[in-house]
Structures are given as C-alpha cells and as structure tokens.
Amino acid sequence: MWKIWTILVLVIRASFCAEKFWLPNLEWERVENWVEKRVPDLDSRVIFPLQMRHAAGLPKSRNLRLSGIDLPRSGALILPRNGNLQLSEAEKLPKKTSEWLRSGHLFWADPQNWNGSSVAAPHLEQVPCRQDDIVLPEKERTFSILLPMKNIEVRSIRISDEKHPFIAWQWTDLKGRREFANGIFTVKYTEYSCEKCACQNDPDGYYLEEICAIQRPKCGFTPCEYPLRIEGHCCRYCGGRVSLTNKASLTIVRAAADEALERYEKRLAWHVRRTWNGATEILIKEKGDYSGIDMVEAVEDLKRVLISMKIEVVTTETTGAALQDNQLTVTLVPLFVTPVIFLMILFVACLYFGYSYKHILSSCTEVFSTIRDGIRVDKSEPRKPFSFARFENISEGNVQIANVPVEDEAKPEGSKAELEDPSSGGRFENPLYRSRRRRNEEDKVLNMEAPLSMTILRDKMEDQIEEMDVNIDE
C-alpha cells in the first residue's frame, strides 16, 4: 500500500504541466547589467551600446541625476511612471562613466532565456512547448522579447504577479506592445491538448534551426567518448538514454523515473519526453561537468524499476568515459610535426637518388652555417668576412722562418753579398701557398736512359697529383 500511495503522489505531481519563466532582467538596479558590475553613481555619464536592440528600464528613484547619456541607435529606455531624470553640467564635475553590458536582441528561441525545464532536456524542449504554461515578468518590470520567426503554440501565458493567465483574446490584444520587438505576433494558444504530440508542430525544422543558430556556437568541446544524437538537441549529447515503446504512458514513466533516480537528485538531472515517432524516452545528464561515474549505475537502476512496473524497455545507452579538452594540443601538433615529416621525406628522396647520408648531413650543416653567419647583430654595419690562420715555428716542424738575405753596402755597386740579418724577424714561408717559380725549379725530368724502378715512378706520380691538387686550390 505504501508503494501504491507513493506512485499515486508522484503521478499527480508529474501530471502537472511545466511552467517556464522568462529570465532576463533589464532593470537599472541590477549590477550584472553593467560592465563595472556596479550601479552608476550620481552625475555619471552613462553609455549604452549603439546596437542595444532591446529595452532598458530606468530606476524609479526621483534623484536620478546624470552628467550625460550616450543613446543607442536601436533600443529603448523605459522611464517608469512618475519617474524623473535630471542632467547636470558635466564641465564642473569629475569624469565618471558607466557602460551598459547587454547588447543585441533577447530571443524567445534562446534556451538560456528560459527557466523551468530540466538541464537534461534537448534545446527544443528547453524553450516553451505547446504543453507549457509561460510566466512573463510582472507589470513593474521592463522586459523585451524578440518573438520567433515561425508560428508556435503554448498552453497559456500569464505575468508573474497575476494568478490567472491571459485569455486568448487578451493575449492577442498585446501584439502591438513594444515589449515584443519583432512586430510579427507568432506565439499563439494551442487549440487542443495532446499528450502524444511533439513539443512544437515543426515538420520542416525551421523553428529548430532558429534555435540551433543561437545555440550551436555555444556547444564547445564534447566531453564524452560516445556522444548521442538526440532529437531537438543542437549539440552532441553526453549522458544516458532509456528508450521505451509508444505504449508507455508519459505520466507513469515520469513517476517511475522520479522514484528510481531520487537518490541521484543532487548529481543527475533527467527528462521524460515523447519522440517524434510517438515513442517514449528518458534522458539523463549530469548537473555539473561530465564524469560518467554514476551514469551506468543510474541507467541500470531506472531499467530495473521500469521492468518491475511492467513497462517494456527497448534499449539503454550511455556515452562512455569522460574526455579532456585537448583542442590546443590537436592544433599545435600539426604545426610542429608537419615540417619534421617533410624533412624525413626529403631525406629518403635524396637517398633514393644516390646521395649518401654523410653528404646530406654535410650539406645541411653548411646550409645552417650559412644562415647563422648571415644573421648580423647590427644590420647598419657592413658585413665583413672573417678568417684566421696560425703558423708556429717549432724545431720539429717542416715549416720554419727563413733567413732574409740583405745587401752589403760596403761592396761596390753591382755586386751583392747575401748575409744573414740576426736582427730581422725573417719572413714566413706559407705552407698553403707554393710559388710556381719554385715548383718549376724543383721539377725534375725523369732520365729515361738511367735505370727506372716502379718505386721511383710511383713517388713521382704521387708528387704530381699532389701539385695538381694544390693548383686547383689556388
């Protein structure tokens, strides 16, 4: 009996239609509407965006005094009944400015502008459906709504400080109000109640596309391994899904889901919906960041409760493990890996065409050295070549400083005597340079009449080859 009464209470609670509340607050006193996160001081200059495109409510205070107002090109400033606005002389006051934060239209089709549905619901069902009761701000509050481009239906509409909704003709009479910026009055009352109908009559998907045009840029990274495709949802879905047949009662299924998932209420949210083909499904989603820890267990508990209530379960799905956002790594890896792959392909191609790896490495070293030497610290200075050579006069070496012959002045003119000048430092004989004249003097022609051995011929050929290399280097 206790279980029966519990199910009856849950059924009664679940059978009530959902109320969805309009969220944006456009009042002057709300600090979230200002860039500085504070209400403008007296004698401040207030700047509104040029393309504000919505209404902003001025305060009810009678001592509102400003040094100036930068008005928007599109939008409205709503002065309350018996309100008062004064402008002071700006030249005699310190410069204080405040900027209005919001800009752009406030769309009826934006899910973030509505409250009252589960976060597990798809985007199409987070905005008002034909089975929902709509609650707009009270009479004293300023609100501005851009109605959808396509005709939609709702069950009823009321303002928050009234208990009873508008009658259909009363709601139609409001279509000329400035609060509805579009001018096309597309929100109408539904003519009949339908439990198995979809959220909206949108066979061509125009209304869903209007919602997704707003929501897709906000999707971001998908944090699960196997995301689901959900009807009416603009992003990939991370969570769980239990699919039932079209024979299941939506009210009974909601009561069963509330009972099965009650202990997960702080961590999970769930939503029972009718699919476009008439079947029933239960969507489960985490309230915070996706982790997937409780998802499998919650789906199994829900399946067990549904089967115990003789409700046929077709399939169950979960979206797997949680993933980390590695978009920055994915972006940078091709930037650094692509040059490495190109160099490897070039290296293999050079080997294929007969170049040795030593020759390739020496060529690369020469290229990098040229680039490094070509970079100058001060570009205003002309580039000067630099070279260095070292000669050391050691006893065991083959290169020594030669004695310089000097002329004896005591001898008569025309006669010279070569003397060694001990005070002279002498001169270097450069081993990298050999005079052609001296080579010619040192050249010896082989005597073909004398006995000739292979050793003498080999030494002579090696000397000539070495001299040819020296000539080429010169």
Side-chain angles (χ1 to χ4, degrees):
M1 289 297 296
W2 179 82
K3 288 186 177 180
I4 294 174
W5 281 108
T6 302
I7 293 174
L8 288 176
V9 171
L10 292 173
V11 167
I12 294 172
R13 187 177 68 179
S15 63
F16 294 144
C17 293
E19 284 189 336
K20 293 185 178 176
F21 298 81
W22 179 254
L23 289 180
N25 189 328
L26 304 176
E27 298 300 326
W28 183 279
E29 293 84 0
R30 185 174 174 83
V31 296
E32 288 80 5
N33 290 331
W34 301 96
V35 175
E36 300 82 7
K37 300 300 180 184
R38 60 181 179 83
V39 179
D41 300 327
L42 289 176
D43 301 319
S44 297
R45 184 179 186 85
V46 177
I47 302 174
F48 289 96
L50 291 178
Q51 303 298 331
M52 190 169 69
R53 299 182 186 274
H54 60 263
L58 295 178
K60 301 176 184 178
S61 174
R62 291 183 175 272
N63 60 350
L64 178 61
R65 188 174 70 244
L66 302 174
S67 61
I69 301 178
D70 290 1
L71 297 175
R73 291 180 180 175
S74 60
L77 300 182
I78 308 301
L79 187 66
R81 192 183 302 273
N82 299 324
N84 187 14
L85 173 62
Q86 300 178 13
L87 295 178
S88 57
E89 296 182 7
E91 297 177 355
K92 300 179 180 179
L93 299 171
K95 295 182 178 180
K96 295 182 293 184
T97 59
S98 296
E99 296 184 27
W100 185 261
L101 180 61
R102 292 179 179 269
S103 62
H105 290 296
L106 300 175
F107 297 93
W108 177 288
D110 188 353
Q112 293 187 352
N113 291 335
W114 295 98
N115 185 26
S117 60
S118 172
V119 296
H123 294 130
L124 178 62
E125 298 177 25
Q126 291 181 22
V127 298
C129 295
R130 67 172 68 186
Q131 301 90 354
D132 296 335
D133 297 320
I134 310 305
V135 182
L136 298 178
E138 59 269 19
K139 292 180 180 179
E140 300 298 326
R141 266 185 54 186
T142 301
F143 71 95
S144 179
I145 304 177
L146 182 63
L147 298 178
M149 300 299 296
K150 184 184 182 299
N151 290 329
I152 63 168
E153 295 178 348
V154 295
R155 183 182 179 186
S156 66
I157 300 174
R158 69 178 180 89
I159 57 178
S160 60
D161 54 353
E162 296 286 344
K163 295 182 179 180
H164 302 287
F166 294 112
I167 302 174
W169 64 266
Q170 290 177 325
W171 171 247
T172 306
D173 287 344
L174 297 178
K175 64 182 180 181
R177 298 282 296 268
R178 291 181 178 270
E179 288 85 351
F180 308 108
N182 196 1
I184 304 175
F185 210 70
T186 55
V187 178
K188 305 181 183 302
Y189 277 19
T190 183
E191 297 179 358
Y192 54 92
S193 178
C194 179
E195 183 184 359
K196 293 189 176 181
C197 293
C199 175
Q200 292 290 346
N201 184 20
D202 186 31
D204 299 325
Y206 294 147
Y207 185 49
L208 176 60
E209 184 58 33
E210 184 177 355
I211 297 172
C212 291
I214 301 171
Q215 194 61 36
R216 281 197 193 102
K218 306 174 186 177
C219 288
F221 174 73
T222 304
C224 58
E225 190 174 6
Y226 307 108
L228 302 175
R229 293 290 183 181
I230 303 296
E231 294 173 344
H233 199 66
C234 304
C235 310
R236 291 186 288 182
Y237 195 92
C238 291
R241 174 166 59 184
V242 178
S243 300
L244 311 175
T245 63
N246 55 2
K247 299 178 182 180
S249 171
L250 210 62
T251 304
I252 299 296
V253 173
R254 284 173 182 163
D258 291 343
E259 180 186 0
L261 303 175
E262 184 177 4
R263 68 189 185 99
Y264 302 100
E265 187 174 2
K266 294 183 179 180
R267 303 185 299 275
L268 301 179
W270 54 91
H271 176 72
V272 181
R273 63 181 296 268
R274 186 72 66 181
T275 62
W276 295 348
N277 61 2
T280 303
E281 69 179 10
I282 307 169
L283 302 177
I284 307 174
K285 191 173 184 180
E286 296 187 39
K287 291 184 177 180
D289 295 335
Y290 179 81
S291 63
I293 298 175
D294 299 323
M295 194 60 59
V296 176
E297 184 180 358
V299 169
E300 290 300 322
D301 290 346
L302 178 57
K303 179 181 178 180
R304 184 174 61 255
V305 171
L306 292 172
I307 293 176
S308 66
M309 297 178 65
K310 307 301 181 182
I311 299 175
E312 184 180 356
V313 177
V314 180
T315 58
T316 60
E317 299 172 271
T318 56
T319 53
L323 301 178
Q324 295 182 352
D325 188 357
N326 297 321
Q327 291 182 348
L328 180 60
T329 304
V330 172
T331 304
L332 294 179
V333 165
L335 183 64
F336 293 101
V337 173
T338 302
V340 176
I341 296 176
F342 175 77
L343 292 177
M344 292 178 62
I345 294 174
L346 184 62
F347 182 78
V348 173
C350 292
L351 292 177
Y352 177 78
F353 286 104
Y355 293 94
S356 65
Y357 72 93
K358 293 184 178 180
H359 182 73
I360 297 172
L361 294 177
S362 63
S363 301
C364 294
T365 304
E366 184 178 355
V367 170
F368 287 123
S369 300
T370 305
I371 296 174
R372 182 191 60 190
D373 296 339
I375 300 175
R376 290 174 289 172
V377 177
D378 187 2
K379 294 185 178 181
S380 61
E381 296 181 359
R383 183 177 178 183
K384 298 179 181 180
F386 175 79
S387 58
F388 176 80
R390 176 180 177 180
F391 303 96
E392 186 176 0
N393 191 24
I394 56 179
S395 60
E396 63 271 15
N398 294 326
V399 180
Q400 295 185 0
I401 298 177
N403 295 326
V404 179
V406 297
E407 296 181 2
D408 188 2
E409 296 179 356
K411 295 292 181 180
E413 185 177 358
S415 63
K416 296 183 180 180
E418 294 185 358
L419 301 176
E420 294 183 1
D421 187 3
S423 62
S424 173
R427 60 183 177 84
F428 282 106
E429 287 187 353
N430 192 342
L432 303 180
Y433 173 78
R434 297 180 62 184
S435 173
R436 188 182 299 276
R437 178 180 57 82
R438 293 185 59 185
R439 286 201 304 268
N440 293 334
E441 293 176 356
E442 293 177 358
D443 287 342
K444 295 181 180 179
V445 180
L446 291 176
N447 188 3
M448 302 303 296
E449 297 179 357
L452 183 64
S453 65
M454 293 299 296
T455 303
I456 297 175
L457 181 60
R458 183 190 63 186
D459 294 340
K460 187 63 177 178
M461 293 300 296
E462 289 179 354
D463 293 341
Q464 290 183 358
I465 293 173
E466 182 180 357
E467 290 176 2
M468 291 178 63
D469 294 337
V470 172
N471 292 336
I472 293 174
D473 293 338
E474 293 177 0

